[in-house]
Amino acid sequence: MADSPEIPTHYDFGEVEGRWQRTWRDEENYFDPASPKPGYVIDTPPPYPTGNFHIGNALNWCYIDFIARYKRMRGYNVMFPQGWDCHGLPTEVKVEETYHITKNDVSRDEFRRMCRELTGKNIALMRSTMRRLGFSTDWSHEYITMLPEYYTKTQRSFLQMFHRGYIYQSEHPVNFCTRCETAIAYAEVTYEDRKTTLHHFDFDGVEIATTRPELLAACVAVAVHPGDERFRSLDGRKLRVPFFGHQVPVIRDEAVDPTFGTGAVMICTFGDKQDVHWWKQHGLPLRKAIDRQGRMTGIAGGYEGKRVEEARAAIVGDMEKAGILKGQRQLEQRVGTCWRCKTPIEILSGRQWFVRVKPDEILKAAREISWIPEHMLIRLENWVTQMEWDWCISRQRIFATPIPAWSCRKCHAIILPDEEDLPVDPTEQQPKRPCPSCGSHDAVGEEDVLDTWMDSSISVLHVTGWDGTGAPPLFPAQLRPQGHDIIRTWACYTILRSVALTGQKPWDDILVNGMVLGEDGFKMSKSRGNIIAPEEILAKYGADAFRQWGAGGAATGSDIMFNWNDVVAASRFQTKLWNIARFALLQLDDAARSEATPVTALADRWLLSRLSDTVAEVTQAMEEYQFDRALRAIREFAWNVLADEYIELVKGRLYAKGGDRAGAGRALAITLDTLCRLLAPFLPHFSEEICRHLAPDAGSVHRQPWAEFSFSDPEATRDGGRLVRLASELRRYKHEQGLALNAPFGSVTVYGLQAVEDAGDLGRALNATVEWRTEAPRLERVVKEVRFHRAVIGPALRKQAGAFMEAVKQLPPEALEAPPSTLRIGDDEVPVPPGSYTPVFSYRIEGAAVDVVTIGDAVVAIRRGS
Ligand SMILES: [Zn+2]
Ligand SMILES: [Zn+2]
């Protein structure tokens, strides 16, 4: 031990974690393109640089880091990149909030500069939290989607998909957020339950119920069910729209619910998705009553310029004045809202860019990917098969990848740049060539920008080295880790784009993690005040305790409810592990550290066979991404098998000068080394600290191979198991008898077992002389006392109870063992109530009093005294 630094009694996580984080070098985690090792590329999620690496991110990254560290130890050349998905609404909204502006208050350039600056600051903040959590990120593969080297690839992918017929431009109704002033994809609409009012009013003699009377100006038809006889008189008629005067047809359609409202509905362009269906199906005209800022347009007459809610209130007021309002009632309604700002979405028609969704292509590739957990594939399948609209990829925002396109001012043809001319910003640059259709040099740059998912859905192409020519060399990646909340966006879009651009699936496996819920069981949110920041946990308990919480909190894919008690338990386990390791380290002499030292004693072989089982279990769990199962197996082994059972059993041998001390030391050395490797992916700092004490010259545990320890010894498993059980149950018995665990325990004879070659461990563990006998013990049994059950005797015998117990005590021993049916008390013959007493026996062997304990298939006799 002379050359090992001193081992402190207390594990100071702050000191240890800080020291290792300063010692480890980033280069150690770099993917090496020249390496002959098999590659393992992880397509990690690029988070939005909000500046706040939240607990959900942290859980996701814990999973990624467990895998990256494990795979490196398994001999893979691992790429664990870090991306930043900068563009799009989240950052713009944040800039608008931070500077109290809207995007229209400053120039395009100035707004972009503000976004870039905020993004840079936020990335720095999040990087530092990630480092503090001990992630083994490959910082040489960091990518930032707002930089030209990345978004050039986004633009290149746009051009290629356009040329392959995946991208088109069209006038079509899309989901629109009037607060964010942009189209959003169907996948970005979230639904909320809200209360709204259903207004009944007279529509040219027909009573109609609607929740959106302000859309009257956009009314293009009235619809009723084909079988609804109440409206027979309306067939072939046109109705006059109140206040606006235009005539609309009455149509019959199966989709009308005759039991809702009055059974007649107005079709407006557009109140909801159903309106879009009817509009297409019946070839109805388009009347745009709401503009992109959420205000009423010119066709709304006197309501022009009013916001939607103002217009609604005004028109209801006017209906009342005109005497056409027939009634109102409250209604529960599911409202589609913008996933970023929660504003109810409008469906507005406009010229937008779309990616064609081909469900069969997506599903075919998705089914070639291994989904963990498996049922997450069903979520994708459900989403893809019910998708009715193509993916709208144009956004009316600023801070995003420009759509690389112009339109000819003369003939309106689309003009695209060549790939070698990328990146381009068509709002600032002119096309290099004239219009391919008419030869005009007069082109208008596209002002719309791309959906941010267009950037992030090529992350896998970027990290595998895509240069625009088919599938890159490292493609497909081995793993995509992500949350289940973005299956219909990030997972779905990535598969779609990979198939379109390479004809292949993007990854071999996709690992889907759950969400972290607050202590109250609800999703963490500012309004609930149940947010826990990783930094708070790090300060109190350190990175390894956090990581252990993440690993053990729930099965992979399930949501985890945050609970401080779980973090405290993780921290306690760390303390226990430290005490175990410290004890073991102090026992390790030169013999223990020497590979030549044989391990022969039963208990030592038993420990190694249990260790071998643990390695197999943990390895299998890691291969299946079941981190909770892996950690449970490690914990069970370290705490129960090693500390409570093995060390308690062999402590005496380790402390004694004689006996097979070296074998126990050797078993401990092997066990500690193996445990360090098993723990390394989960507790990188802690395992590094122990490993350096154990083998100061061996270098980092993170550069060492995964635990390969295998030891098969069925006899040791069986007999060692018996030995351990005897020791622990007899120690418990000793404790129950009020004896100190190190007090002399006399002589202990184990009957019914072959002599176990235990190297004297049982005797030392009990402080007793131990004898093994194969035969059954010849016991003399004596009734020592009688235990009465007053709950039975009292109600049955009442006043005679006392006399009854006295009479029982007088009975001869044979009668006590087989109770008579009646007893004579005074002059009465009293029935003996069943279960009224139990005789308590004492035992003698060869005339000496002994305690007898049955443990498994052995009977143990203890003759007390020294
Ligand atoms: Zn919005
Ligand atoms: Zn032209």
Side-chain angles (χ1 to χ4, degrees), residues 168 172 185-186 354-358 387-392:
Y168 63 92
H172 192 273
Y186 190 24
F354 296 88
V355 165
R356 213 177 288 286
V357 175
K358 301 180 181 177
M387 255 172 117
E388 296 162 77
W389 296 5
D390 283 337
W391 172 18
C392 174

Side-chain angles (χ1 to χ4, degrees), residues 680-698:
F682 300 110
L683 314 182
H685 312 86
F686 183 91
S687 57
E688 185 80 313
E689 184 72 3
I690 304 282
C691 181
R692 298 298 178 103
H693 280 294
L694 179 64
D697 304 324

Side-chain angles (χ1 to χ4, degrees), residues 286-495:
L286 182 69
R287 292 178 64 89
K288 298 185 191 180
I290 297 171
D291 71 10
R292 291 179 168 195
Q293 280 84 41
R295 293 182 186 277
M296 305 309 291
T297 64
I299 68 160
Y303 307 102
E304 183 180 355
K306 285 197 193 318
R307 304 206 63 87
V308 166
E309 307 76 39
E310 294 165 356
R312 188 179 307 160
I315 209 160
V316 170
D318 290 343
M319 283 177 172
E320 220 167 351
K321 273 184 222 151
I324 61 170
L325 190 66
K326 301 285 178 189
Q328 290 171 312
R329 66 179 175 92
Q330 291 288 298
L331 190 71
E332 289 284 344
Q333 198 185 29
R334 301 212 72 199
V335 179
T337 61
C338 168
W339 78 311
R340 280 289 148 193
C341 74
K342 301 296 169 208
T343 302
I345 52 127
E346 294 291 349
I347 296 175
L348 301 186
S349 186
R351 194 186 52 97
Q352 303 284 354
W353 293 85
F354 296 88
V355 165
R356 213 177 288 286
V357 175
K358 301 180 181 177
D360 294 346
E361 272 187 16
I362 298 173
L363 291 174
K364 180 176 173 289
R367 287 170 186 149
E368 289 167 10
I369 297 163
S370 164
W371 291 71
I372 303 123
E374 249 179 279
H375 62 87
M376 294 295 176
L377 171 61
I378 298 166
R379 292 206 193 184
L380 181 94
E381 289 175 335
N382 289 345
W383 173 247
V384 171
T385 46
Q386 64 153 62
M387 255 172 117
E388 296 162 77
W389 296 5
D390 283 337
W391 172 18
C392 174
I393 54 166
S394 42
R395 297 288 180 273
Q396 291 69 51
R397 297 295 308 190
I398 295 170
F399 183 52
T401 298
I403 292 178
W406 295 265
S407 77
C408 172
R409 208 184 289 273
K410 257 195 192 150
C411 76
H412 305 296
I414 292 170
I415 305 168
L416 298 175
D418 290 332
E419 283 189 32
E420 53 270 27
D421 297 331
L422 299 176
V424 299
D425 183 349
T427 63
E428 289 174 359
Q429 290 159 259
Q430 277 294 304
K432 288 198 173 166
R433 280 178 306 179
C435 170
S437 304
C438 72
S440 163
H441 285 271
D442 194 4
V444 189
E446 175 61 83
E447 282 200 1
D448 283 2
V449 291
L450 287 171
D451 178 6
T452 184
W453 295 111
M454 279 293 280
D455 293 330
S456 61
S457 57
I458 57 161
S459 62
V460 65
L461 286 162
H462 176 79
V463 300
T464 53
W466 189 61
D467 63 1
T469 56
L474 297 173
F475 200 79
Q478 278 58 58
L479 182 69
R480 152 65 68 88
Q482 67 159 70
H484 63 60
D485 56 330
I486 50 175
I487 287 176
R488 62 189 203 178
T489 47
W490 196 37
C492 180
Y493 294 153
T494 303
I495 296 170

